[in-house]
Every structure is written in structure tokens, then in C-alpha cells.
Amino acid sequence: MSAGGGWEEGVAAARRQLLREEAEASGAQRFALCLPPEPGEEVKEVEETIDEMLIRLDEFCGMTDVIRNDTSQLLDETIPLIKAKVVEMNNIYAKVDKLEAFVKMVGRHVSFLEEQVLQVERDHSSVSHAVRRILQSVTIPSFKNGTCVKGDVLFGVLHLPGEAQQEKPGHMSSRWQEAIE
């Protein structure tokens, strides 16, 4: 290489450097034209915005601490209480289910017994009607002024006039006589 070639390269490098500096200066000048004349007001606005953001961040951190504490309390105290209540309620539900089954069983037995009672009443009413008809058909003529009660026929009792009707052992009471009549 020649001595003049190195000098030319230095000049070319210097020119490139100068062009770069001019371009940077012109770019800086263009950027400066975009900025408002007093940057102090913008800096104050940015600082105020940053302060507001920091205040909100503190509030958010406080809220997360409260939530974390509430969660710890729930996990440590409330959830075990709820689990105990669930076990207790499951026991109560089991007892209620057993009671429901018992009530259904009793209901079925009561229905069965009611049917039997109705059947017995029907059977008994037919027998009692037959006995009534037989007793009503039997009449005994009165002797002199004596009266004969239908029920007394069974026991051979005759009531005479003026005789007090006393209930004696072995005789039908007046309640039974009324029931037969």
C-alpha cells in the first residue's frame, strides 16, 4: 500500500464521521423541535403519574395481604368447622332417611290393619243384624200387666208392675237392653 492510500482512507473516515455527526445533530435538532419549550411541566406530570401509580400499587399490595390473611383464616379455622358440620348433617340426613322408611312401613301396616278392621266390622255387622232380627221376631205375651223386655227373654226375667227393676248379677243391664232394641 502506498502512503497516499492511508491518507485517503483517513480522510474518507473523517468525512464519514463528520456526516454522521451532522446527521445526528440534524436528527437531534428535529427531535428538539418536537419537544415542548419547557420540559419541566411534563416532568412534573410524569412524576405525579408515577406517584399515583405507586399509591395504587401500595393499595393493591395491602389488598393482597388482606386476602392472603383471610385465606389463611379460612383454611385454618372455617373449613374444619364446615367439614364437621357436613359430617353432622350427613348423620342427620341418615336418621331422617331411616325415619322416612319407618313412617312408610307404619303407614303400610296401618293400611293393612284398617282393611282388616273394616272387614271385621262388615262381618260383625252382618252377624249382629241377624241376631237383632231373631230377637225382634221373638215376642212373649205379657202376663197380667207385667211387661217383658226382649233382652230378658234370654235370661227368663219378667218384670211385674210396681216392681223396681234392679240390675242383678247375671241379668242384662239397661245399656245392653237399649243396644239390643
Side-chain angles (χ1 to χ4, degrees), residues 24-39:
E24 287 176 5
S26 68
Q29 286 175 353
R30 278 189 244 143
F31 184 68
L33 291 174
C34 292
L35 292 175
E38 293 185 36

Side-chain angles (χ1 to χ4, degrees), residues 12-90:
R15 267 192 192 164
R16 280 184 277 185
Q17 181 68 25
L18 185 60
L19 287 174
R20 254 189 253 144
E21 288 176 5
E22 284 178 12
E24 287 176 5
S26 68
Q29 286 175 353
R30 278 189 244 143
F31 184 68
L33 291 174
C34 292
L35 292 175
E38 293 185 36
E41 288 182 25
E42 279 189 9
V43 170
K44 286 181 184 177
E45 287 178 20
V46 169
E47 286 178 354
E48 288 175 2
T49 305
I50 290 173
D51 287 341
E52 287 178 24
M53 296 292 271
L54 288 174
I55 290 171
R56 289 182 183 165
L57 182 64
D58 285 341
E59 290 173 355
F60 179 75
C61 289
M63 185 67 73
T64 55
D65 287 342
V66 168
I67 290 171
R68 192 174 299 125
N69 290 338
D70 288 349
T71 303
S72 297
Q73 181 182 7
L74 283 173
L75 291 174
D76 296 339
E77 298 171 9
T78 309
I79 291 179
L81 291 175
I82 291 172
K83 285 182 179 179
K85 287 293 181 182
V86 166
V87 169
E88 183 179 334
M89 291 304 295
N90 285 336

Side-chain angles (χ1 to χ4, degrees), residues 109-172:
H109 287 297
V110 166
S111 297
F112 178 73
L113 288 175
E114 283 180 7
E115 289 175 16
Q116 286 183 338
V117 166
L118 290 174
Q119 182 63 35
V120 168
E121 285 178 348
R122 283 190 292 258
D123 294 345
H124 177 70
S125 67
S126 64
V127 170
S128 69
H129 285 301
V131 169
R132 280 188 199 157
R133 282 188 217 130
I134 291 172
L135 290 178
Q136 288 174 354
S137 66
V138 174
T139 55
I140 297 178
S142 61
F143 296 100
K144 296 188 179 178
N145 287 330
T147 60
C148 179
V149 177
K150 293 177 185 174
D152 290 341
V153 170
L154 294 175
F155 299 104
V157 176
L158 177 64
H159 297 286
L160 299 175
E163 182 179 318
Q165 295 183 5
Q166 296 178 359
E167 294 181 10
K168 298 178 183 176
H171 292 282
M172 284 183 66

Side-chain angles (χ1 to χ4, degrees), residues 95-109:
K95 288 178 182 178
V96 167
D97 290 342
K98 288 178 183 178
L99 284 173
E100 285 178 348
F102 178 74
V103 167
K104 286 179 183 178
M105 180 190 68
V106 168
R108 285 191 301 263
H109 287 297

